[in-house]
Amino acid sequence: TSAAREGARTGVVTDPFDPTPAVNRINAVLSSANLAPTSVLVVCAAPCQADSPVTATVSVTFQTVVPGFLPPVLGSLTLTQSATMRYE
C-alpha cells in the first residue's frame, strides 16, 4: 500500500510527467521491506495536465510461510495494490 502511494505521490510532482522517478521510488520502498515487485506501472491519463489522475500499480508475490495453514493458497499468491492522485 505505501509503495503504491509513494509512487503516485512522486509521479504527480514530476514536471513534465515522467514515470521513471516514481518507479524508482516504488522499488526503493519495496527494497527496504526486502520485497521484489512482480510488476510496477505508473501512468498519467492523457493528456497529462493539472488534475489528471496519476495511478501507480504495484504487484508482489506473497509466499505462504506454512502452506498447510492456508489450504486454498498453496505456495504463492500475487498481491496487487493501486493508488491514484491528481497531477499537480
Side-chain angles (χ1 to χ4, degrees):
T1 302
S2 63
R5 190 172 43 246
E6 290 282 336
R9 180 67 193 139
T10 301
V12 300
V13 296
T14 57
D15 186 27
F17 176 74
D18 178 6
T20 303
V23 169
N24 291 342
R25 181 65 185 141
I26 290 168
N27 287 330
V29 170
L30 292 174
S31 177
S32 70
N34 293 322
L35 295 172
T38 54
S39 70
V40 174
L41 181 64
V42 180
V43 296
C44 183
C48 193
Q49 56 193 13
D51 294 327
S52 293
V54 173
T55 302
T57 305
V58 181
S59 295
V60 296
T61 300
F62 171 74
Q63 295 289 335
T64 58
V65 177
V66 183
F69 183 69
L70 299 171
V73 182
L74 297 176
S76 65
L77 176 68
T78 300
L79 304 176
T80 302
Q81 183 65 44
S82 295
T84 302
M85 297 183 183
R86 65 178 178 82
Y87 189 70
E88 295 179 2

